[in-house]
Amino acid sequence: KYRYIDIRRKRVRDLIYYRHKMAMATREWFDKAEFTEVQTPLMTVSSPEGARDYLIPSRIYPGKFYALPQAPQQYKQLLMVGGVDKYFQIAPCFRDEDPRADRHSGEFYQVDVETSFLTQQEFFETMEPYFSYIIEKLTDKKIQSKVFPQIPFKEVMEKYGTDKPDLRFEMLLVDLTDEFRSSGLDIFKEIGAVKGILVDREFTKKEIDKLTEEMKLEGAKGMVWFALENNKLSGSMAKLFSEDIQKKIVKKFKEGGYKFSGKQYIFAFGDEYMKACKLAGILRSKMGDLLELKDPNVLAFAWIVDFPMFEWDEKSKKWDFAHNPFSMPKGGLEALKKESPDKIFAQQYDVACNGYEMASGSVRNFHPESFIESFKVCGYSEKETREKFGHMISAFEYGAPPHGGIAPGVDR
Ligand code: ASP
């Protein structure tokens, strides 16, 4: 109600001004790089970007609805077919989904980008300077690496326990599955995976109890801990592990790049593989805060690559797209026909920075045949796919350039 009073506050005014500067700098950069800004329609058909659409009832066609775009995905691809081969837009997106801490609910803006004829690598090299430009123009922050490291999804989960890693500090996850399985303890005999970190700090029993409770809220069944001093483990759990296994655990952390000094603590989670990774990743992030390892003046970007193209949906007992259904599978049509869906990666990428996902994008599946085949994996017949995306397939049949793009979130 009193938003206009709110706007009088300096912080809010500064943010409005900052956002204006960002929009101006974005247009300046893309214009210089010979991109064309195109505004795409807002009253449109549904586009599967992963959420629910907002609908607008039509007065002229009673009982019919327009959808507000979740993203201009299909339009930007059609622009590529039309020959506008370097496009950008500061695009409004509408998604009827629950609010998130890092996204304005309902409507938000993306710097939507698409280009033709570039390989994934060439596209990365095109976009990296945009991020650097914006940051250097608007902030005093240091960019950890202007050529962003590229980390495959599998590796990022294994080492950081999240696909939005914070690369400002190390403390990588260590795999302790073998050591726990062979510990002789019944509860660990069949454990899917055990992932742990070593924290360079002493903890009281009370602190550990509090952490355990916090981690239980994140879905952990419990948290195993050891104290580590002079290459020796101690703590109530340590007694249950033979000396040989204790040695192996210590060795794993040494190999994981950790430096040993004074009294430190190991925390570990056992669960099915992804869950164990995620839990250790959540604790890693908490410990990064606690030990003040996240330098607020540094921005550490990374490309996360090689996402799985499909994921098995236990509920519906079928394969589904893991991310953007318009992504090109690695290996194209041949891979779709020959490989088992769980072996197929997508030419899909995210930009992660300081523990946030800043952008998502992909090289697109622009071959009519592989487009149809890709939907077939997810249980759609050619007829159904043509009914839904006939306009896209038909456009591709007129001859589409290889193309791909990205959409960084403005608010992020
Ligand atoms: N349309 C995608 C999204 O909103 C971004 C992209 O792939 O360009 O996540």
Side-chain angles (χ1 to χ4, degrees):
K1 187 171 176 188
Y2 295 110
R3 177 68 165 148
Y4 44 87
I5 304 290
D6 188 41
I7 292 171
R8 288 181 191 171
R9 291 192 301 138
K10 182 167 182 324
R11 179 171 152 75
V12 178
R13 285 290 294 274
D14 284 353
L15 284 170
I16 289 173
Y17 180 70
Y18 184 80
R19 199 185 154 113
H20 155 72
K21 281 294 186 204
M22 193 207 155
M24 296 302 278
T26 294
R27 292 205 162 93
E28 192 181 284
W29 188 90
F30 279 99
D31 181 50
K32 243 202 197 120
E34 299 181 327
F35 282 74
T36 306
E37 180 167 17
V38 182
Q39 289 185 315
T40 51
L42 292 183
M43 289 163 65
T44 175
V45 291
S46 182
S47 179
E49 234 67 34
R52 241 165 48 150
D53 302 301
Y54 282 109
L55 300 174
I56 316 170
S58 165
R59 179 182 55 82
I60 303 175
Y61 305 101
K64 303 253 181 215
F65 294 82
Y66 295 97
L68 290 175
Q70 293 187 38
Q73 181 72 44
Q74 301 190 50
Y75 285 112
K76 67 174 171 178
Q77 290 196 240
L78 296 177
L79 281 169
M80 296 303 112
V81 181
V84 184
D85 53 13
K86 288 173 101 179
Y87 143 93
F88 87 103
Q89 175 184 197
I90 302 180
C93 303
F94 305 90
R95 296 184 194 177
D96 187 5
E97 62 187 359
D98 292 332
R100 299 187 200 176
D102 58 356
R103 181 189 277 172
H104 200 288
S105 66
E107 58 179 271
F108 60 92
Y109 284 77
Q110 290 179 338
V111 180
D112 198 42
V113 183
E114 195 80 3
T115 63
S116 292
F117 304 114
L118 299 183
T119 62
Q120 179 169 303
Q121 181 59 36
E122 288 164 340
F123 184 71
F124 287 1
E125 287 164 18
T126 304
M127 286 305 294
E128 282 163 1
Y130 163 65
F131 286 94
S132 301
Y133 179 77
I134 286 285
I135 285 151
E136 283 172 349
K137 180 140 186 164
L138 302 181
T139 80
D140 298 324
K141 293 189 195 266
K142 194 176 158 292
I143 301 168
Q144 187 157 296
S145 167
K146 287 190 182 180
V147 176
F148 306 168
Q150 296 176 24
I151 318 175
F153 173 73
K154 185 167 176 284
E155 184 184 329
V156 83
M157 292 309 297
E158 209 168 279
K159 289 188 172 163
Y160 299 92
T162 169
D163 58 2
K164 331 178 216 311
D166 194 324
L167 302 180
R168 286 172 296 179
F169 65 105
E170 289 280 322
M171 209 192 283
L172 302 185
L173 273 48
V174 166
D175 192 291
L176 303 171
T177 314
D178 289 343
E179 290 71 20
F180 274 66
R181 275 195 197 149
S182 55
S183 68
L185 293 175
D186 279 351
I187 43 164
F188 297 129
K189 226 175 237 158
E190 313 251 297
I191 197 92
V194 179
K195 289 278 178 181
I197 54 171
L198 175 67
V199 184
D200 192 13
R201 179 185 188 275
E202 285 197 42
F203 287 83
T204 62
K205 177 81 181 46
K206 210 169 143 197
E207 282 177 319
I208 295 177
D209 288 345
K210 187 167 168 271
L211 268 183
T212 307
E213 284 317 305
E214 282 175 32
M215 290 308 296
K216 279 187 181 159
L217 290 178
E218 302 285 351
K221 297 189 183 100
M223 182 170 81
V224 177
W225 64 270
F226 307 103
L228 171 67
E229 198 172 14
N230 298 325
N231 286 310
K232 289 226 153 25
L233 298 185
S234 60
S236 55
M237 281 301 277
K239 299 192 260 314
L240 308 174
F241 289 76
S242 71
E243 204 164 310
D244 180 46
I245 290 183
Q246 290 194 25
K247 267 194 195 139
K248 283 186 181 155
I249 292 176
V250 173
K251 191 166 160 244
K252 276 272 176 85
F253 281 97
K254 212 168 248 169
E255 287 166 359
Y258 283 92
K259 299 267 171 302
F260 296 169
S261 76
K263 195 168 187 184
Q264 296 163 309
Y265 276 75
I266 290 171
F267 298 110
F269 301 92
D271 216 305
E272 46 101 1
Y273 178 77
M274 272 298 172
K275 183 106 178 274
C277 292
K278 281 182 190 166
L279 289 167
I282 292 169
L283 189 69
R284 175 184 178 271
S285 174
K286 279 181 190 283
M287 294 299 104
D289 287 325
L290 184 69
L291 273 56
E292 295 181 359
L293 302 175
K294 300 178 177 176
D295 185 342
N297 297 312
V298 171
L299 292 167
F301 287 95
W303 295 103
I304 312 303
V305 297
D306 291 348
F307 284 93
M309 179 82 196
F310 304 104
E311 65 190 4
W312 180 252
D313 183 21
E314 246 330 291
K315 248 195 233 148
S316 55
K317 300 274 175 225
K318 69 177 197 63
W319 291 100
D320 209 344
F321 292 104
H323 294 273
N324 195 322
F326 299 121
S327 304
M328 178 71 98
K330 271 192 159 175
L333 183 61
E334 208 178 297
L336 288 169
K337 287 205 153 144
K338 285 193 186 142
E339 293 285 352
S340 129
D342 60 319
K343 298 257 154 36
I344 302 176
F345 294 104
Q347 291 191 56
Q348 158 99 35
Y349 35 80
D350 279 357
V351 175
C353 180
N354 292 13
Y356 289 88
E357 180 193 314
M358 309 295 286
S360 240
S362 66
V363 172
R364 318 298 179 189
N365 190 348
F366 67 97
H367 289 299
E369 232 185 310
S370 61
F371 189 93
I372 290 163
E373 193 62 33
S374 175
F375 277 82
K376 248 184 217 163
V377 173
C378 298
Y380 300 91
S381 67
E382 174 166 350
K383 190 165 161 269
E384 284 168 320
T385 307
R386 281 192 185 270
E387 261 162 29
K388 249 187 138 169
F389 300 111
H391 54 289
M392 298 287 283
I393 297 166
S394 156
F396 296 158
E397 280 164 351
Y398 273 85
H403 60 281
I406 197 163
V410 170
D411 302 293
R412 288 181 198 178

